[in-house]
Amino acid sequence: MDSRHLRKLAKELGITADDRAEIQRILREDDLTAPFPMRGPVSYAKVLLLIDIIQECSLREKTALPIALSCTDPSITNVAASSIKKSCLRRFSAGKDLHERVDHLYSSNDDTIGPFSHKLGIGKQWLGDAHQQDLHLDKDTNICNGLILELYQYLKQIGNHWTIAQQWISRLYPGCTPPPTQTLSTDWKRLQSLRNKHSAIKASKDAFLAAEYKLPQPKTEEDVDDTQVETETSEKKTLPPNNPDKPSTSDIFHQEYDSPIKQKLVQHIRDQDETILKQAEEISDLTHLLNQDQEKLMALKMDYDNILNKNNEVVKDRNVLSYTLKLMETKENSLRAHMTKIISDYNPAKVKKQLHYREQKAKELANSVEIYKQELQEERNKVQELRETVQKEKHKKRNEQKRVYYYKHKVNPLEKMSNDDIKALLKERNALRFEVDHLQAQLDECMEDQCVQTFENGRYVDAVRLVCYDFISRNVGTQHVAPLIRSVVENMMGMKVDRLPKATVVKLMAIEADILARKQAARELLEAENVTLHTDATTKKDRHYYSFQISTNTATYSVGMQETVGSDTATQIEATKELLKDLADLVSPEDIDKDSRPTEYQLLFNIRNTMTDRGPTSKGWVEGLETWRKEVLNENVMPHFKDLSKESIDKLSTINDFYCGKHFILGLADRAKVGLTLWEEDIADYTGPLGMEKLPEFIKWNCQKPSGLRLVRTASELVGPGAKEPHGIPTLYNDFLENSKNYMPQFQHNRFNIVFKASSALYHHRHTLKQLLQKIGSENRLHKAVLADLDSIVTISEVRAMGLLEKHMTTPLSTITSQKEHILDMRHYYDKLQNFLKAMVADPTPIMDGTAVLFMDYPPKKDEIWTSLYQENRTPEEDALVEQLLSILCASFLVALERQLFDFVGGRWHGEVSAGTYEETRSVPRNNDISERDFSGLDRLLRVKNTAKLDFIRGLMIFTHNKTAEALHKMDETRLNLELTSAVKLARKSLAKSKENRAYLKRLRLEGLEEKRRKKEALELNRVKIAQNAVDKISVDGQQKNADGVQALMNKYASTKDKKDALKRQLNFYKTLKIQTIPHNKFYFSSGGKEHTVETLMNNLIFVIGMWNMALNAPSSSTSNPTDQTINMQKIAETRTRINHLKRKLLDEAEDVRVKKAKKSSAKNVVFPGLELIGKTIKHRYEITTKTGRTMRKWYKGEVLRQANTNEMDDASEDDKKLHDEQGHIIFMIHYEDHAHPEAIALQADWESGDVKLEITNSVTVSEDSE
């Protein structure tokens, strides 16, 4: 098949070059989860195009074509590539002649367009020549629909603009003004659709084509005005106001009559006016219902068309099957005739006898074969025995040869030795025997003493210290160490112990263990290169701690933990500097390199990477380290510093910052809370209170939102391992499960993946837990809250959605981040995660049906919980809710992905990295578990040893974590003695320094407390001052308490500035009242850098006054009961618009984060295009307020027409005028698609903030419904 036909097929199917490249990538990488561009029903054209794509990328058709077909249509399986290729090529060759004839017809020079145009003498030459005379038609001759349709088809063939069609109409209808091109295009397309509807019946089609064509008339300005008035009337659902220039009927009567009759007439007219108003409202409501019915009718019509198409396909399949059945019946009849002939030719008795003879012969042969097999097996066994015998003999022979060789070479040297040598050996033997006897005598003397010496030269021996280090690192109490050592020696060895350390000395030994462990880590940091520094922070018992660890290419070590008062960036940097200085002081002189660099800075420059949880201070901390490295980089630190280039200095100063992969999963739990809360708020009108919120005893409670996470937490507290006392019933629930396992984990919100795991486990146990609580029938509030939440379909849907994401996403991702492999390999997994989330936002069906696989090498685990999530009976309402929730959660997760993992999906680690960078970051793990491990140990030790000091606790932890005991056992005796002696000397200094540090921290805490008190007093005075100022200012106009008062206030002032000032005074006054139910943005005077108009400020004030009145008149919560609303499919369908808006809001948030991250990571800022924007389409983001009072940011599409002139600049806002006058910003005239007239706007400020961008195609599509 030639390239011309292939290009034509691709154009007909809408396959672009990018689609071809994407298909080739999917087939090469076997990425079956990616969206396939040619997805849909398979046709011959698609198969031919797929074969061309496979041949282009040099793949095997035998394997690649079936995969491509299954991606195009999943229902196609087990197809042979060769047969389908032959069938398609045969079909193509049959229709090739037809294509050539059609091409010849289009390229022919025939002047005829169609029968209707030929009948009137209209040809291609007449249509193309503007100077042709107009047609002279008879009286009875009309322009019919068939002629117009022929002209429409010819217009599409020649590809000209619709202005040509206007010329044709002006010549067909002399003296008539042709309608606009848009009207003409719409009308001709309407004719074509009508022709298609009449094509089923020939008579109807002919009548339609012969009917007179009615030329559409363009609307006049009056019609347009009337249409606008009618549109506004239908939107407001009120009648238009009367013409002020024309007096009403009531006024005329007032002028001409003054009698009782006049009064009756006036009253009658008023009644009629009211009746007309009511009827207008009813008409508006009926119109609205009619529009809804028309929408439903269109949907049903589309369903009917789809069913009709499917029916046609079924009819075609039935015809094929009928034809196949006839062929099979014909073949069956021929076989039956052949069989009848065979039976007639042979005698049945003879055939039966022959068959019996053959069966006997087959049995005899089978017996012979069985006997032969037995004999063969016996021969094989004999051969195996002979082989084993031969092997044994060979082995004996080798042993004998080795023995002969040994004695041959051993005897010969002895024969060569002289008598003097023999005498020397004998003398040495006697000396060794004497030494053995002497040592035996000493041993006997020691055993007679029966006492172990533990104290020499004013201190305990090294062996005692090593034992004490081991005991205290294993959490043995300091007062129990000496008794345990004594018991072991006396009971195991039968000896007495001279002297053992007391508890206070053991505590000091814990500080020695801390020094030894940190010295070990300091040596590793000194010797290794490209080290990764870990850090984390936590607050325990009102004390703030920083922990530090290092990772090399071979191991990880804890290097320190410090207590601080502050938690800001400066405090963290100072803690890091102090840490490196302490480690430098611990390094022995023999560990320092010959280059005599300061050890503190040598340790600093060995750190090449960092691993954090990306907390509020992490970024500033990394930047502070880079600044410190740049400041200390000189000749003393780096030899040949003057010879280094600026690029080399920048590289030495730069640190590779990485983010913990497991903390990203922890962040997904927070994003799940955000997404679920927004979803519950959007559908609150349809659901009402959820679960426990309906119960009277919980009405006054501030129930946690969202309800799904609330149920996960309360259920874990009820039946999980960490059940809440005394309300938990874990033992009873385990007994109730009988042979089943309780999968509910202990709920700790700061543990990785715990929220998702608890959700899947709860969905698995929901029925049994509900049954148990119903049997108990307890009045316990925790029991009642869990039971009520289990009865809520919305809450259970949230739990199931979280459980499905645990199986498909969070658990595989957690497994990957736990692997001890290179962290830069994670960029491939994060790319797949990003594409997966985008695809699930658009269509979560793969998760719903269980076919989604995020990572092919880490598929979902299919266990009992998987079965509960997918195979148990569920309602259609639950499935519909879960499908909505999956889209919302995935959209919310995209925000966390763009915010926390931008370096991997769009930043510096995205794409290919150099071999040097890959080697430089080899020591970086994929997670920050080592920091979490240290804090877990700190938490445990603070509970067990609540009065212990930090240096004691740190010694217990890092001595165990660094496995310092093993390192000490590997040292020789001399080096071990030096290390322990050094630790003993430094322990006293460390103890004194810790005491001074505790006193310093105490003083800082007291000073901070006093500073907080002063700030609080100043803040209270400022608040009172602001409130008094607001009261003084509002006294000018008085407090407005309703909408009428606000309107009267507006009528009081004439200028826009005075109105704004009056509204601002009112808003500032109500702001001081601190009404919690009012959103903060209602008190703002501007949004998005643009000042609010008078209308916006007035609407905000009316909303605030309404909420204030509601707060004053709110009924007591104890007297109101929440209404119970049942969820059904109709209500779920009604929430579709809100859900789409919520998805779009979350996707916009993710896009905002991506834009901001891209700006920060980019080395150069994007330059504002200026006048180059003219003629281009842009997207401009504004902050708007919805009908529900919620603020959201929305993109508007517009076309930049030109630069505004002097008169047009007057329509610009005050802010834009100020930017133009002071900073020279250009003001453009922009026509937005939702506005009737162009607007004057300065774009540069919004461009630099990311709120203006050129129109691009987004990969995630969400249906847009009107607000």
Side-chain angles (χ1 to χ4, degrees), residues 12 19 63 66 122 232 320 352 442 546 600 651 726 910 940 1009 1018 1081 1177 1215 1223:
E12 292 175 354
D19 295 335
T63 57
I122 298 175
E232 295 173 357
V320 173
K352 186 176 181 180
Q442 289 182 348
Y546 282 108
E600 177 183 356
K651 185 175 181 181
H910 183 64
R940 176 175 51 81
L1009 183 63
N1081 61 343
T1177 303
D1215 292 339
Q1223 303 181 22

Side-chain angles (χ1 to χ4, degrees), residues 486-697:
R486 193 181 302 277
S487 175
V488 170
V489 173
E490 291 179 355
N491 293 322
M492 297 293 294
M493 302 177 61
M495 302 176 68
K496 295 183 179 179
V497 182
D498 181 21
R499 177 179 176 179
L500 289 174
K502 296 182 180 179
T504 54
V505 180
V506 175
K507 291 179 181 179
L508 189 61
M509 288 183 180
I511 300 176
E512 296 174 11
D514 171 50
I515 293 172
L516 291 170
R518 288 193 290 141
K519 285 185 69 174
Q520 175 195 8
R523 281 194 297 269
E524 293 293 336
L525 178 57
L526 187 67
E527 296 170 359
E529 293 181 354
N530 299 327
V531 179
T532 300
L533 177 62
H534 302 253
T535 185
D536 202 356
T538 188
T539 301
K540 302 289 184 183
K541 297 184 177 180
D542 199 29
R543 295 176 182 268
H544 198 74
Y545 299 94
Y546 282 108
S547 69
F548 298 93
Q549 302 80 23
I550 61 171
S551 291
T552 64
N553 291 341
T554 57
T556 58
Y557 301 92
S558 298
V559 295
M561 183 178 291
Q562 298 181 9
E563 180 184 352
T564 62
V565 174
S567 58
D568 55 350
T569 303
T571 303
Q572 190 174 7
I573 293 174
E574 289 300 322
T576 308
K577 292 181 179 180
E578 184 179 353
L579 168 76
L580 293 180
K581 188 176 182 303
D582 292 342
L583 293 178
D585 295 339
L586 293 176
V587 176
S588 303
E590 58 270 15
D591 293 327
I592 303 177
D593 293 340
K594 297 180 181 180
D595 56 10
S596 70
R597 284 188 290 170
T599 309
E600 177 183 356
Y601 300 144
Q602 185 177 0
L603 297 177
L604 173 64
F605 280 94
N606 283 349
I607 297 172
R608 198 69 187 86
N609 313 291
T610 60
M611 168 63 72
T612 64
D613 59 358
R614 204 65 63 84
T617 62
S618 298
K619 182 180 178 182
W621 174 70
V622 175
E623 293 174 353
L625 287 183
E626 292 178 341
T627 304
W628 185 29
R629 288 163 70 101
K630 189 175 294 186
E631 290 174 353
V632 302
L633 194 60
N634 52 37
E635 287 286 346
N636 296 329
V637 178
M638 185 64 60
H640 312 294
F641 170 74
K642 295 181 179 179
D643 300 334
L644 297 177
S645 62
K646 185 178 183 301
E647 291 75 11
S648 300
I649 295 175
D650 292 339
K651 185 175 181 181
L652 287 172
S653 304
T654 304
I655 292 178
N656 301 318
D657 180 26
F658 289 93
Y659 177 67
C660 172
K662 288 191 175 180
H663 275 84
F664 169 68
I665 302 176
L666 185 62
L668 293 183
D670 296 333
R671 290 304 307 177
K673 182 177 181 180
V674 173
L676 294 178
T677 303
L678 292 174
W679 180 74
E680 285 189 0
E681 291 174 355
D682 270 3
I683 67 170
D685 297 342
Y686 300 92
T687 61
L690 300 175
M692 62 177 287
E693 302 167 12
K694 301 177 182 178
L695 302 180
E697 53 265 51

Side-chain angles (χ1 to χ4, degrees), residues 1019-1032:
L1019 186 64
E1020 182 64 22
L1021 290 175
N1022 187 42
R1023 189 187 68 80
V1024 173
K1025 183 178 179 181
I1026 292 174
Q1028 185 61 41
N1029 188 22
V1031 172
D1032 294 341

